Amino acid sequence: MSPETQDTAVSQALEMGRPVAGEEEKVYVASQWQLMWWRFRKHKMAMVGGAILIIYYTLAIFCEFVAPHDPLKFDPKLVFVPPQKIHFRDEKGFRWPPFIYGIKQQIDPVSYRRTYVPDPEKRFTVTFFARGDPYKLWGLFQTNVHLIGTVSVDGKIGPLYLLGTDRMGRDMLSRLFYGARISLSIGLVGVFVSLILGILMGGFSGYYGGVFDTISQRLIEFLRSVPHLPLWMALSAAVPPFWSPVKVYFGITVVLSLIGWTGMARVVRGRFLALREEDFVMAARLAGSGEFRIVVRHMVPSFLSHIIASITIAIPNMILGETALSFIGVGLRPPVISWGVMLQEAQSLATVALAPWLLVPGLAVVVAVLCFNFLGDGVRDAADPYAR
């Protein structure tokens, strides 16, 4: 029985005065979060988007383990190597485990362009939990075991460039995994900061009103009237160039958060203007609750589902902001690895024409943003109290 049918059955049972039992009782006693989950499961695209995002964040968390190579390791002899193919068949038919051929460099006698072709004389078996470049998982555990790798017959570690290499001979797949950690986490951190600012500024603005409300609304209107990209560029240019990558990361996060809180503040203010006259707010005042406790413990949780939906829609804006700033050179800078930094390699039309696989980080950004939007639509529909 679907959630809509269950809700109808419960309503009819209550109107007729008969007891609610079985599946009807399950819906009748369900919490708000359970009802939201039942509605959310019906949104197929949101479920798909959520599953893809779980995969994204899992790869980002364990990027050192799933990356085949060290993302900073370069080889001048393997510049702009096209993606390698994994082979499951050879001259004898189907073969397991799969293998890849070695890489052989050639020079075009007409254009003198360097090209790479498979070398059938060299074979490397693709294995799981293979030994490779040493790394520290989360900066704590030293190991050299990777999720996937290659090994030759004599035990030598071979190249594995499933997404090719860049202009310095660095593995694109490994850099894509490492870049996911920065680009996806900056969205979460930035939205968390903007959420706190939005709830505090918008909440107290709508609760108290008066001079504080006037000043905060004029500030919000001023920030929203300024074009975001020039403002981001101006604030990012204030980040000292001698800062460490960690400081630059948090600096960019603060820059994005200073812009992203205005939309949330307006939404929260509108809700507080309607809620401050409700009976439960008056009851909390009569019970002796302080103003801060009324705002944080009573008013904010009353529309928490809407806040969650707004967060899922705001995160992709943060990701796009970081990508845009890094792409134009005023955001994160090498040696930091992010999707925006990687897309700097694709600024040249000639480079893209010769190495189109450099656009893969852009595809990762598009998929992540679409999944967040699908997830936000599903959460918003599930949190709608008037949904049927």
Side-chain angles (χ1 to χ4, degrees):
M1 183 181 296
S2 65
E4 290 80 1
T5 306
Q6 293 172 348
D7 293 341
T8 304
V10 171
S11 300
Q12 294 176 351
L14 293 176
E15 292 175 358
M16 297 174 62
R18 62 182 178 86
V20 181
E23 292 294 328
E24 300 175 0
E25 183 180 5
K26 179 181 177 182
V27 176
Y28 182 64
V29 300
S31 64
Q32 178 185 3
W33 296 105
Q34 288 176 315
L35 295 174
M36 286 178 58
W37 169 243
W38 290 338
R39 292 195 190 105
F40 179 78
R41 287 188 306 180
K42 295 189 63 181
H43 201 298
K44 302 302 181 184
M45 294 304 298
M47 293 290 290
V48 173
I52 294 176
L53 289 176
I54 290 175
I55 296 175
Y56 263 47
Y57 278 97
T58 301
L59 293 176
I61 293 173
F62 298 97
C63 63
E64 298 96 345
F65 171 66
V66 297
H69 300 285
D70 184 347
L72 300 178
K73 181 181 179 181
F74 63 93
D75 190 345
K77 298 179 180 179
L78 298 175
V79 176
F80 291 136
V81 173
Q84 292 179 287
K85 295 181 180 179
I86 297 179
H87 298 271
F88 292 88
R89 298 182 65 87
D90 57 9
E91 62 276 1
K92 297 181 181 179
F94 180 79
R95 172 175 171 173
W96 185 264
F99 66 95
I100 63 171
Y101 290 116
I103 302 173
K104 182 167 59 176
Q105 184 181 133
Q106 293 181 343
I107 302 296
D108 191 323
V110 178
S111 63
Y112 296 101
R113 175 186 164 194
R114 182 188 305 177
T115 59
Y116 301 91
V117 295
D119 186 359
E121 296 182 359
K122 296 181 181 179
R123 287 188 180 183
F124 298 92
T125 302
V126 179
T127 61
F128 290 100
F129 305 106
R131 301 289 178 177
D133 298 324
Y135 63 89
K136 277 189 175 183
L137 183 62
W138 307 321
L140 300 174
F141 309 104
Q142 181 74 35
T143 182
N144 63 350
V145 178
H146 296 260
L147 176 63
I148 189 173
T150 57
V151 62
S152 62
V153 178
D154 55 359
K156 294 183 178 180
I157 300 174
L160 181 62
Y161 303 126
L162 299 181
L163 291 182
T165 63
D166 61 7
R167 62 182 178 86
M168 297 181 64
R170 297 171 297 192
D171 180 35
M172 285 291 296
L173 181 62
S174 300
R175 294 178 63 80
L176 186 70
F177 290 149
Y178 276 78
R181 173 176 290 181
I182 298 295
S183 295
L184 295 178
S185 64
I186 203 170
L188 295 178
V189 175
V191 166
F192 177 77
V193 176
S194 63
L195 175 67
I196 298 300
L197 289 174
I199 290 178
L200 291 179
M201 294 293 292
F204 286 103
S205 176
Y207 184 78
Y208 288 108
V211 177
F212 183 82
D213 181 40
T214 302
I215 295 176
S216 62
Q217 292 308 303
R218 299 296 82 78
L219 175 62
I220 291 174
E221 291 172 358
F222 172 75
L223 291 177
R224 294 180 69 88
S225 65
V226 178
H228 283 185
L229 186 57
L231 185 58
W232 281 340
M233 294 175 63
L235 294 174
S236 298
V239 177
F242 55 83
W243 275 13
S244 65
V246 176
K247 290 183 178 180
V248 173
Y249 172 83
F250 284 104
I252 297 299
T253 302
V254 171
V255 168
L256 296 176
S257 303
L258 289 176
I259 309 300
W261 67 272
T262 56
M264 176 63 70
R266 279 198 162 184
V267 172
V268 173
R269 174 182 177 270
R271 296 289 296 179
F272 271 51
L273 287 174
L275 290 175
R276 66 181 182 181
E277 306 299 333
E278 293 290 338
D279 293 339
F280 72 91
V281 176
M282 180 61 69
R285 290 199 189 101
L286 295 176
S289 298
E291 305 292 343
F292 185 81
R293 179 180 177 85
I294 293 175
V295 171
V296 176
R297 296 296 300 274
H298 298 283
M299 300 181 73
V300 172
S302 65
F303 61 102
L304 186 60
S305 58
H306 181 82
I307 293 177
I308 295 175
S310 300
I311 290 174
T312 58
I313 297 176
I315 290 176
N317 292 331
M318 291 288 180
I319 296 176
L320 289 174
E322 181 276 325
T323 302
L325 291 177
S326 300
F327 177 74
I328 61 180
V330 296
L332 298 176
R333 306 178 183 92
V336 177
I337 305 172
S338 74
W339 289 342
V341 173
M342 294 177 65
L343 284 174
Q344 286 183 344
E345 302 283 342
Q347 289 185 354
S348 172
L349 183 60
T351 302
V352 174
L354 298 176
W357 53 87
L358 296 180
L359 293 173
V360 171
L363 178 62
V365 173
V366 171
V367 173
V369 171
L370 286 177
C371 290
F372 271 115
N373 287 333
F374 291 145
L375 182 65
D377 290 340
V379 173
R380 182 184 57 197
D381 295 342
D384 185 2
Y386 302 102
R388 292 293 182 183

